[in-house]
Amino acid sequence: MLRLLGSTRRLCDGMTRRDVLRVGGVGGLSLAARAAGAGVRPQHADGGGTFGRAKRIILLYLYGAAAQHETFDPKPDAPAEIRGKFEPIATAAPGVFICEHLPRLAQFADRVTFIRSMTHPYNIHSAAYTLSGVEHVDIPMELDPYDNRHWPFFGSVLDYLSPRDAAAAPQVPRNIALPFRFSSRCGQFDRGGPYGGFLGRAWDPVWTEFDGRASGAVQRWTGSVDESVDDPYAGIAPESRLTVSRAAQLPGEITLDRLDRRRSLLDQLDDGRRRLDRPLASRSLDRFQQMAYSLMTSTKLREALDLRHEPDAVRESYGMTLFGQATLAGRRLLEAGAPVVSVFWDEYGPANSAWDTHFNHYERLEHELLPGLDAALSSLLADLEQRGMLDDTLVMCLTEHGRTPKLSDTPRGAGREHWSNAYCNLLAGGGVARGRVIGSSDEHGAFVRDDPVSPKDVLCTMYHLVGIDPHRTRSLS
């Protein structure tokens, strides 16, 4: 297990921060071990194989929970109230079928691994559990990104574990997330998930900003009224763009020369202080200063985010939606040297948006969600393969739980509720086997039939593939 050793502040279940940050399930590299027949085998750092194969990671996160039946685990023989309206289609992987509204992704099924036996006990929007491996989550944690029981997002851990002699603030951040701070566009909740946890806010991802507008309004049922929402995840105007976070943009009256002079003075004032054994909080302040300076002066980052450098045909292939264009920008950031890029399909406007399809389940899946995912993920895989990057780039398409097997009637069409007993994830590249399926669910997609996989197993495998021994420890001091 990976352990970060530091202060003795208590975490949940009586554990201490000094005690442990667990990222794997019982038995170590359990997912990798189960997939041994598929070519993913646990290896030590000196054992070759898949250990350290992935040089970079891109996470595509489907917040709200994607339905297993309408994505990667269709159940055509189940009763109508379970199987739903959509049909399965054959894929490039023999014998593997996925939803008919993912036709482009179906052609890449021979390059990916589907996990159909994801399961865990937390039937809430547990993005923090999925992305950090924390041992317990509850509603107060879900609704508070800075609850002191949270553990760090894996991108924050990888950033923290970067070599100590690496640049403190590289021109392209080591842990960058798009399109904006997670959960910041939902008017009702501020949810936990991709943050620094007990490492501190200095280890949060660097967030981009969305500067643009939606191409049109869509109707969202809030549970009581219909609301018209200019949701960019449903479509954006072509001139829309992603930018460096506003917090790191130069004020209009500050030139780079003036900024450099200020930086020089600050360095002189800090020179003596650097020789002292400073506490973690002070070092975090330095990290904020260094990162802000780097972002304000980084032309490399701005170039990577500038999608005007891409042909119109490429932009359109990813989908002219916020998720599609953010995924394209994510590919450009990988090429620019970012080790960890995260793209979130997030709530926008009311809750029960994104992939949280309590209402208008089929309409939203058919016209927004599945086409948007199909375009972005298939184009990303094609681009990485064409550039010779897929073999050493780990692609993870994750969601926090699944949806109920039985459809529910709602005032705004059929819906599926929360269901964490069985759901799906997708992995590709970076040492992951090609054209394989791990695990299975029962005939209704309700419970895992064989080979249960926890989010911790996925994280454990991720650390293995990027070359980090899950039994490693590191002091926070």
Side-chain angles (χ1 to χ4, degrees), residues 139-458:
I139 294 293
M141 291 175 70
E142 178 193 333
L143 299 181
D144 183 359
Y146 300 109
D147 187 306
N148 63 11
R149 295 173 293 166
H150 279 302
W151 287 0
F153 168 49
F154 73 79
S156 302
V157 173
L158 293 175
D159 193 2
Y160 181 81
L161 292 177
S162 297
R164 291 296 176 100
D165 58 355
Q171 287 290 296
V172 178
R174 289 186 286 263
N175 177 24
I176 187 166
L178 304 90
F180 40 66
R181 179 181 171 273
F182 183 64
S183 195
S184 64
R185 299 301 188 272
C186 174
Q188 296 172 266
F189 303 111
D190 191 12
R191 304 184 189 274
Y195 297 99
F198 62 65
L199 290 177
R201 296 189 185 188
W203 297 96
D204 288 354
V206 171
W207 299 95
T208 62
E209 296 281 357
F210 172 60
D211 182 7
R213 60 182 178 86
S215 56
V218 292
Q219 294 297 309
R220 294 281 183 260
W221 174 249
T222 66
S224 57
V225 297
D226 276 314
E227 183 175 326
S228 180
V229 179
D230 293 328
D231 188 347
Y233 285 100
I236 60 173
E239 67 272 15
S240 300
R241 61 196 184 111
L242 293 157
T243 67
V244 178
S245 172
R246 293 187 183 96
Q249 293 179 13
L250 282 174
E253 72 277 7
I254 301 294
T255 65
L256 286 177
D257 286 343
R258 186 177 175 189
L259 180 68
D260 284 336
R261 289 196 298 272
R262 289 186 177 184
R263 169 76 175 195
S264 177
L265 176 60
L266 180 63
D267 286 346
Q268 294 175 54
L269 293 174
D270 287 346
D271 185 59
R273 190 161 55 97
R274 290 191 185 96
R275 301 173 187 173
L276 302 177
D277 183 16
R278 292 166 287 131
L280 184 62
S282 177
R283 292 203 306 275
S284 295
L285 178 60
D286 280 351
R287 176 178 166 79
F288 274 129
Q289 294 169 338
Q290 293 163 351
M291 183 63 73
Y293 180 81
S294 178
L295 295 181
M296 283 189 287
T297 58
S298 174
T299 56
K300 194 173 186 181
L301 176 57
R302 284 175 172 78
E303 284 288 309
L305 292 173
D306 190 349
L307 298 183
R308 292 174 299 180
H309 295 292
E310 294 289 336
D312 289 345
V314 172
R315 294 191 65 185
E316 290 167 2
S317 75
Y318 276 82
M320 288 307 298
T321 67
L322 184 53
F323 185 73
Q325 298 303 288
T327 302
L328 174 55
R331 187 264 287 166
R332 290 176 58 84
L333 286 164
L334 293 176
E335 290 182 295
V340 180
V341 176
S342 303
V343 180
F344 290 89
W345 193 316
D346 202 357
E347 293 174 300
Y348 199 93
N352 302 317
S353 54
W355 288 78
D356 200 16
T357 52
H358 295 283
F359 316 113
N360 299 116
H361 179 73
Y362 291 116
E363 293 79 1
R364 295 200 60 232
L365 283 168
E366 182 174 357
H367 300 296
E368 297 177 28
L369 301 173
L370 293 172
L373 175 63
D374 194 41
L377 181 50
S378 62
S379 294
L380 175 66
L381 294 171
D383 267 2
L384 292 176
E385 187 171 65
Q386 182 181 9
R387 287 164 169 76
M389 296 172 62
L390 185 57
D391 285 346
D392 59 4
T393 301
L394 176 60
V395 179
M396 302 197 299
C397 183
L398 308 183
T399 194
E400 66 263 24
H401 55 70
R403 314 300 301 186
T404 49
K406 190 171 182 179
L407 290 154
S408 58
D409 290 326
T410 78
R412 290 297 185 275
R416 294 192 192 267
E417 314 303 330
H418 296 187
W419 190 260
S420 65
N421 293 297
Y423 65 105
C424 301
N425 280 342
L426 178 151
L427 304 178
V432 172
R434 291 174 168 236
R436 301 301 176 94
V437 175
I438 292 178
S440 66
S441 63
D442 63 21
E443 65 274 15
H444 291 166
F447 298 97
V448 170
R449 181 164 54 193
D450 59 67
D451 229 353
V453 175
S454 162
K456 295 175 182 288
D457 298 326
V458 174

Side-chain angles (χ1 to χ4, degrees), residues 129-146:
Y129 182 69
T130 302
L131 298 175
S132 75
V134 65
E135 287 207 331
H136 166 82
V137 288
D138 52 38
I139 294 293
M141 291 175 70
E142 178 193 333
L143 299 181
D144 183 359
Y146 300 109

